[in-house]
Amino acid sequence: DIQMTQSPSSLSASVGDRVTITCQASQDISNYLNWYQQKPGKAPKLLIYDASNLETGVPSRFSGSGSGTDFTFTISSLQPEDIATYYCQQYDNLQLTFGGGTKVEIK
Amino acid sequence: QVTLKESGPVLVKPTETLTLTCTVSGFSLSNARMGVSWIRQPPGKALEWLAHIFSNDEKSYSTSLKSRLTISKDTSKSQVVLTMTNMDPVDTATYYCARFTDYGDYDYWGQGTLVTVSS
């Protein structure tokens, strides 16, 4: 099975800061990588699909990049409402895996 | 409007079998571009994919849990059912169903249902 290593596991940043989260796959997954935001007590919300495509209605401060094994998720200017845990998720050959999550807090 | 809603017991005893139902609306389980998955999340921990089922009835299971899981669907009732055998306290989690698209992502999720395994 493909393993997804997400880092950091948590971070603290100030409002307006640029925030970057990485996800590394244990083997080549092309661009089959998605990013989700989960707020406490809520179901995850899709933000980015196919590594770099912004889901409809998601603010443009969120972005994703990468292909193969290394992927990056960026919040260009952190806002108070972005406090959440973020997960990457890969899809390869009918098997899915989520990363371990990154908890984003305000400094 | 697409919605998914999980239902099932909130408490099961160790060794029992868990049966969860996901009732969907706003799309058909026979839609060739869609599937439904089950995903769980133990308290304070990460998401874990369990299984999914496609419109053509093709199924896929988590390698680590495959022996304990069965997924099925009833298109006429718009329901997807997951059974998990031999429940253990470590299976305590919020169980979600979610719609799986042909981009390999989940665009709609249920609210989740917390299942506690305890004697």
Side-chain angles (χ1 to χ4, degrees):
Chain A
D1 291 359
I2 296 174
Q3 307 303 314
M4 303 302 294
T5 303
Q6 189 174 339
S7 61
S9 57
S10 66
L11 66 87
S12 182
S14 300
V15 173
D17 280 356
R18 184 180 185 88
V19 169
T20 299
I21 299 168
T22 64
C23 206
Q24 185 172 60
S26 59
Q27 64 188 69
D28 191 333
I29 57 170
S30 184
N31 67 333
Y32 299 137
L33 192 284
N34 308 307
W35 292 96
Y36 299 84
Q37 175 192 67
Q38 186 180 33
K39 296 185 176 180
K42 300 293 187 182
K45 174 187 175 183
L46 178 65
L47 300 180
I48 303 285
Y49 64 94
D50 283 355
S52 60
N53 295 291
L54 196 66
E55 177 73 347
T56 303
V58 173
S60 59
R61 63 180 181 275
F62 297 102
S63 65
S65 64
S67 66
T69 61
D70 295 303
F71 301 86
T72 300
F73 172 81
T74 300
I75 307 173
S76 61
S77 177
L78 185 67
Q79 300 300 305
E81 60 266 31
D82 300 335
I83 300 314
T85 301
Y86 294 84
Y87 293 93
C88 62
Q89 171 247 318
Q90 68 80 24
Y91 167 58
D92 177 76
N93 196 25
L94 301 184
Q95 292 284 313
L96 282 83
T97 325
F98 288 91
T102 297
K103 187 174 184 179
V104 175
E105 298 176 321
I106 295 287
K107 191 181 295 182
Chain B
Q1 180 188 3
V2 172
T3 64
L4 300 93
K5 186 171 185 179
E6 306 89 350
S7 58
V10 295
L11 180 65
V12 297
K13 291 181 169 56
T15 75
E16 288 186 339
T17 294
L18 171 68
T19 299
L20 295 171
T21 300
C22 176
T23 302
V24 310
S25 64
F27 72 101
S28 171
L29 294 176
S30 61
N31 186 322
R33 301 171 66 86
M34 303 292 174
V36 172
S37 296
W38 285 95
I39 296 150
R40 71 179 180 179
Q41 185 172 38
K45 295 189 177 182
L47 300 163
E48 178 183 20
W49 172 74
L50 299 177
H52 54 224
I53 189 165
F54 294 96
S55 58
N56 63 358
D57 216 39
E58 183 176 14
K59 301 159 190 169
S60 182
Y61 296 99
S62 163
T63 302
S64 61
L65 293 168
K66 185 174 184 176
S67 64
R68 300 173 54 203
L69 297 173
T70 303
I71 192 169
S72 62
K73 65 181 175 74
D74 185 330
T75 301
S76 65
K77 293 182 178 180
S78 294
Q79 292 180 334
V80 175
V81 176
L82 180 77
T83 62
M84 180 180 291
T85 61
N86 194 25
M87 294 293 284
D88 183 272
V90 300
D91 297 312
T92 293
T94 296
Y95 287 75
Y96 295 99
C97 60
R99 189 174 81 164
F100 182 72
T101 79
D102 58 0
Y103 289 105
D105 60 48
Y106 297 107
D107 60 350
Y108 289 92
W109 295 66
Q111 63 191 19
T113 184
L114 176 61
V115 178
T116 300
V117 184
S118 175
S119 55

